Amino acid sequence: MVKLDSILTYLIIGLIVFTSGSIASVFYSSIMYVVFFLFISVLLLVKRNVFYKVDMLAGAVFSIFVFFSLTIFSSLYGNTLEAYFTFFLRYFVVVILLLALPIQNSLENSLFNIFRVIVVFSLLSFIYSNVTDFLFLSIGGDEFPVDTIGFIINRASTVNFLGVQFYRSQGFFWEPSVLQIYLNLFLLLSFQKNERKWVFITFLAVLATFSLTGIIISTLIILYFFRKIKINFVFKLCFLLIVAIFSFYLLYMKIYVTGGVSYNARSLDLVSAYRIISDNTFLGIGFGAEKYLSVMYGYVSDLIYMDETRGITNSVLYMFVCFGLPAGCVYLCVLFKQTVFKNDKALVIFILLVSAFSSPLLFMNFYLMIFASFFILKNN
C-alpha cells in the first residue's frame, strides 16, 4: 500500500510538472485536460478513499473561492469568460490533484527526485542534440519551429559560444528559460540536503541552457550557501570570476550579436504593461492572450520594433495586466506563503518570480500548485 501511495504521488506531481512548460503541453493542450480527468478517474478506482480528507476539503473549497474571487471580475469586465473558463478549469484540476496526493508530507522529497530526473535528462538531451540529428523531426512551422523526438527531446534555439554553435539545453520543455526554473529549484534543494555532487552536476546543467537568467539565479543561490559552507576563498573568487566572464559574454551576444532581440522584447513587455495597467489599474483587462494582443497593439503602435505576432513573456506583468494591481498583489502574497518548500522560502519565491519575469509561466500548473498549497497543504 505504501508503495502504491508513493507511485501515485510521483505520478501526480510528475504530471503537474510535465504540463507546466513542456513542448507536448504547447501543441496538445486540449489533450492534457483529457489526460488529467482520466488520471483522476483512475485514482478514484484505484483508491476510492483518496479524496475523503475532511481536514483538507475546507481548505480546497476556500482556495477555489479565493482564486475565483481574485480573477472572475476582471474577466467579466473584459468579456474574456471563454479563455477564463479554461484557466479556472486548470486550477480546479490542480486542486483536485493536490487533494488526491496520498503522501502530502513527502511532496518536497517527491519534487526533489523528479527534478533530479529532469537534471540528468537535460544533460543527456543536450549532448545528444549537439552530436547527431538522428530521429529528430521538425515541427511547428514558422510560428513555433522546433526539432523533437517524440516531444521528449527537443531543440530549438542556438547560441554561438567561442565560435562554436550549440543547441541550448531545454529537455522536454519549450525553451531553456523554462528548464532553468526546475534546475535552480533542484540546486536549492541539493544545497539544503548537502548533496554536493548534485550541486556540481546541476550547475553544469544550468550552464548548458545558456540562460542568462538561469545562470544569475544559480550564482546567487551558490553565493547564498557559500556563507554556510567552509570553502577556500581563492576557490570562491575563481568561481565568481568564471561566472562573471561567462555571463558578460552571454549578455554581449544577446545585445550586440543577436541584434538585441531579447532586450527589445523585454522593453516591449515593460512599456506595454505599464501603459495598460495605468488605464486599467483595479480590474485589469481580463484573462486571455487574444484579449491582451488586441489591447496591447493599441498602446504600443508607436514602438517601431514591435513584433506583431508575439505575446507578453513577462508573466508577472501579464498577471497585473489581466487582473489588476489589487488581485495581482494578493496572488503574489499567497504565493509567498506557499507550503511546498519548507526552508529558505524567500529564496524559493525569488527563483519563481525572477523566472516568471522572463517566462509566461506564472499561470502554469506548477505555479498554480504552489499557490494552492497555502490553503490545502498546511501541514506539509
Side-chain angles (χ1 to χ4, degrees):
M1 183 61 67
V2 175
K3 185 176 180 180
L4 177 60
D5 288 346
S6 180
I7 292 173
L8 289 177
T9 299
Y10 279 117
L11 285 175
I12 291 171
I13 303 304
L15 187 60
I16 289 175
V17 171
F18 184 75
T19 55
S20 301
S22 68
I23 285 287
S25 65
V26 172
F27 285 94
Y28 299 106
S29 58
S30 58
I31 295 179
M32 291 300 169
Y33 292 113
V34 178
V35 172
F36 270 127
F37 283 111
L38 285 176
F39 185 71
I40 292 172
S41 300
V42 171
L43 277 176
L44 284 170
L45 291 174
V46 174
K47 291 199 69 178
R48 296 185 180 181
N49 65 333
V50 76
F51 295 107
Y52 298 102
K53 299 163 185 171
V54 179
D55 58 330
M56 296 172 61
L57 283 176
V61 172
F62 185 59
S63 165
I64 293 172
F65 172 77
V66 170
F67 188 82
F68 182 78
S69 300
L70 288 175
T71 55
I72 186 60
F73 296 109
S74 60
S75 295
L76 288 170
Y77 172 74
N79 194 26
T80 58
L81 286 178
E82 183 176 351
Y84 171 76
F85 174 74
T86 58
F87 175 51
F88 180 77
L89 181 63
R90 280 198 295 109
Y91 182 73
F92 181 79
V93 171
V94 168
V95 169
I96 296 299
L97 289 176
L98 283 181
L99 281 176
L101 280 176
I103 312 176
Q104 281 84 20
N105 291 331
S106 69
L107 179 54
E108 186 178 86
N109 290 329
S110 300
L111 282 171
F112 179 79
N113 291 323
I114 290 171
F115 291 163
R116 177 160 45 193
V117 172
I118 292 175
V119 169
V120 174
F121 183 77
S122 70
L123 283 172
L124 293 177
S125 63
F126 172 73
I127 296 170
Y128 185 87
S129 298
N130 283 286
V131 298
T132 182
D133 296 324
F134 183 63
L135 294 179
F136 276 106
L137 176 67
S138 296
I139 61 173
D142 296 331
E143 183 177 351
F144 195 90
V146 62
D147 297 336
T148 184
I149 301 178
F151 299 101
I152 301 299
I153 299 178
N154 306 292
R155 64 184 192 185
S157 61
T158 60
V159 62
N160 187 303
F161 185 69
L162 301 177
V164 181
Q165 200 78 7
F166 289 98
Y167 281 104
R168 300 169 63 192
S169 176
Q170 63 186 81
F172 51 74
F173 298 101
W174 77 56
E175 63 179 14
S177 62
V178 177
L179 170 62
Q180 66 83 20
I181 299 173
Y182 303 109
L183 297 183
N184 277 314
L185 287 173
F186 181 74
L187 180 66
L188 173 63
L189 293 175
S190 297
F191 267 116
Q192 291 174 349
K193 298 176 183 295
N194 200 28
E195 297 276 0
R196 297 194 179 186
K197 175 185 68 175
W198 284 106
V199 167
F200 176 73
I201 294 173
T202 307
F203 187 64
L204 289 180
V206 174
L207 292 178
T209 66
F210 292 93
S211 167
L212 186 59
T213 301
I215 293 170
I216 291 174
I217 292 175
S218 291
T219 303
L220 293 176
I221 293 172
I222 292 172
L223 290 177
Y224 174 80
F225 283 99
F226 269 180
R227 301 178 303 118
K228 305 178 181 180
I229 303 174
K230 292 183 179 180
I231 298 179
N232 185 279
F233 176 77
V234 176
F235 176 82
K236 293 181 181 180
L237 191 62
C238 291
F239 168 78
L240 286 175
L241 185 62
I242 292 172
V243 171
I245 293 173
F246 192 82
S247 299
F248 278 115
Y249 179 83
L250 289 180
L251 185 62
Y252 170 82
M253 296 293 291
K254 284 178 177 289
I255 295 176
Y256 296 104
V257 177
T258 63
V261 174
S262 179
Y263 171 78
N264 288 341
R266 302 293 178 261
S267 299
L268 177 62
D269 288 344
L270 184 61
V271 174
S272 60
Y274 173 76
R275 294 178 179 180
I276 296 172
I277 293 170
S278 296
D279 289 342
N280 302 272
T281 305
F282 295 103
L283 287 178
I285 63 172
F287 182 80
E290 292 184 5
K291 177 70 175 184
Y292 168 75
L293 290 175
S294 65
V295 173
M296 183 264 287
Y297 291 159
Y299 280 91
V300 294
S301 58
D302 58 316
L303 301 180
I304 60 173
Y305 55 80
M306 183 181 69
D307 181 348
E308 295 186 356
T309 63
R310 67 178 295 278
I312 193 168
T313 58
N314 188 323
S315 52
V316 176
L317 292 179
Y318 182 59
M319 174 183 60
F320 290 123
V321 166
C322 289
F323 301 122
L325 286 179
C329 289
V330 173
Y331 185 94
L332 292 181
C333 288
V334 174
L335 206 64
F336 187 82
K337 295 291 185 179
Q338 60 83 28
T339 59
V340 173
F341 300 95
K342 302 174 184 177
N343 303 308
D344 301 304
K345 292 191 175 185
L347 194 52
V348 170
I349 295 303
F350 172 79
I351 296 170
L352 294 175
L353 289 187
V354 171
S355 299
F357 271 111
S358 60
S359 300
L361 282 175
L362 196 58
F363 296 138
M364 292 298 175
N365 297 332
F366 181 74
Y367 278 77
L368 295 179
M369 177 188 73
I370 301 295
F371 177 89
S373 69
F374 169 71
F375 301 96
I376 302 173
L377 306 177
K378 292 186 177 181
N379 295 320
N380 184 44

